[in-house]
Amino acid sequence: MEGTLAIVLKVIPRGEDDLLCDFLTEKKGRLWALARSARKSRKRFGSTLTALNIVTVDLVEKANSSLLFLQESNVSLPLTHLQEELERLGCAFYLVEAIRGMTPEHSPEPQKFHLLLESLQKLNRGEGPPDVRKFFERSLLKISGFEPHLSSCLKCGAKEEKRYFVFKEGGVYCHRCLPARERFEVVSKGREERIFTLFLEYCMGKSFKSKVLCPLPAF
């Protein structure tokens, strides 16, 4: 796969000299590739194999191996301003963590690729992290088929100011229809935003580690 545009999601040292890289690509989805001797010699890869980099990679398959091998990597779209603010950088890592949690390997999902690509570029241009995160969370849940229903009770259709978001059902209920013994979160007017973060965590089955870097809605 020559000239594949990819976003570096995560890099893990392997052995003394190699790096194992988690990439998100447009046509092949998430995939892992091994960069041999990447830590020993930077001639081929330089500093391109760093999380959040948008790169063009050459990947090859080898017989009797399910692992891809990285032949070359070059930065394609530099994100030179991400590290200027901790909030901006923290938000970028939050987006990547969400993508990794919601994207299975070897599953082409171009919408998720472009969502992450555009969101990282927005942060790099200086757009506010809270606004970028808000749009990203809503879009990622919708693309993944888990868009939460927040406008009216799933059972009776009532539209009340105070609602109860039931995670298992992915939507809200009024106090009369609230199912028993199900995890829920109270939703009131003007405080819907935190539901998207909590529901993403529920769908991923784990909490965000990047919360320490990325200011999220007050819970």
Side-chain angles (χ1 to χ4, degrees), residues 22-39:
D22 187 8
F23 293 114
L24 180 67
T25 68
E26 178 181 16
K27 296 181 179 180
K28 297 292 183 179
R30 261 189 71 207
L31 49 84
W32 288 91
L34 184 66
R36 291 199 178 280
S37 302
R39 301 170 68 194

Side-chain angles (χ1 to χ4, degrees), residues 146-150 154 164-173 195 199 202-203:
F146 297 107
E147 183 177 16
H149 179 85
L150 301 175
L154 287 174
Y164 302 84
F165 182 80
V166 178
F167 288 83
K168 184 178 179 180
E169 303 297 332
V172 294
Y173 287 83
I195 292 300
F199 193 40
Y202 176 82
C203 292

Side-chain angles (χ1 to χ4, degrees), residues 153-158 160 164 166 172-180:
C153 176
L154 287 174
K155 186 173 182 179
C156 72
E160 300 183 355
Y164 302 84
V166 178
V172 294
Y173 287 83
C174 65
H175 70 281
R176 297 178 297 275
C177 301
L178 180 65

Side-chain angles (χ1 to χ4, degrees), residues 4-162:
T4 300
L5 188 63
I7 302 170
V8 184
L9 303 179
K10 188 171 184 176
V11 179
I12 302 174
R14 181 168 173 173
E16 294 184 1
D17 304 323
D18 302 340
L19 289 175
L20 192 58
C21 307
D22 187 8
F23 293 114
L24 180 67
T25 68
E26 178 181 16
K27 296 181 179 180
K28 297 292 183 179
R30 261 189 71 207
L31 49 84
W32 288 91
L34 184 66
R36 291 199 178 280
S37 302
R39 301 170 68 194
K40 183 177 181 180
S41 172
R42 292 188 174 270
K43 184 177 181 180
R44 282 187 301 156
F45 306 117
S47 59
T48 63
L49 301 180
T50 303
L52 305 180
N53 276 352
I54 301 171
V55 296
T56 300
V57 295
D58 288 344
L59 303 169
V60 298
E61 299 181 35
K62 293 190 177 180
N64 302 320
S65 177
S66 59
L67 189 64
L68 293 170
F69 292 84
L70 184 62
Q71 295 294 101
E72 188 176 352
S73 174
N74 296 287
V75 173
S76 181
L77 298 171
L79 301 176
T80 56
H81 303 298
L82 273 187
Q83 298 189 30
E84 293 179 356
E85 296 179 5
L86 181 59
E87 183 181 5
R88 199 183 304 179
L89 183 62
C91 184
F93 278 112
Y94 173 82
L95 305 185
V96 165
E97 186 176 359
I99 282 287
R100 294 190 76 237
M102 296 292 288
T103 308
E105 296 176 29
H106 304 291
S107 176
E109 298 192 58
Q111 285 183 295
K112 291 183 181 179
F113 174 82
H114 287 289
L115 174 63
L116 180 58
L117 179 66
E118 292 167 8
S119 297
L120 291 176
Q121 290 178 307
K122 285 180 180 179
L123 289 172
N124 191 59
R125 290 196 298 266
E127 295 191 28
D131 291 334
V132 174
R133 190 205 70 247
K134 178 180 178 179
F135 177 78
F136 178 88
E137 289 179 335
R138 290 171 179 259
S139 300
L140 181 58
L141 283 168
K142 184 175 182 178
I143 291 170
S144 302
F146 297 107
E147 183 177 16
H149 179 85
L150 301 175
S151 61
S152 58
C153 176
L154 287 174
K155 186 173 182 179
C156 72
K159 295 184 177 182
E160 300 183 355
E161 182 174 331
K162 187 175 182 180

Side-chain angles (χ1 to χ4, degrees), residues 189-200:
K189 187 176 181 180
R191 295 179 60 84
E192 294 92 347
E193 193 54 42
R194 64 177 182 168
I195 292 300
F196 292 91
T197 303
L198 292 173
F199 193 40
L200 264 177

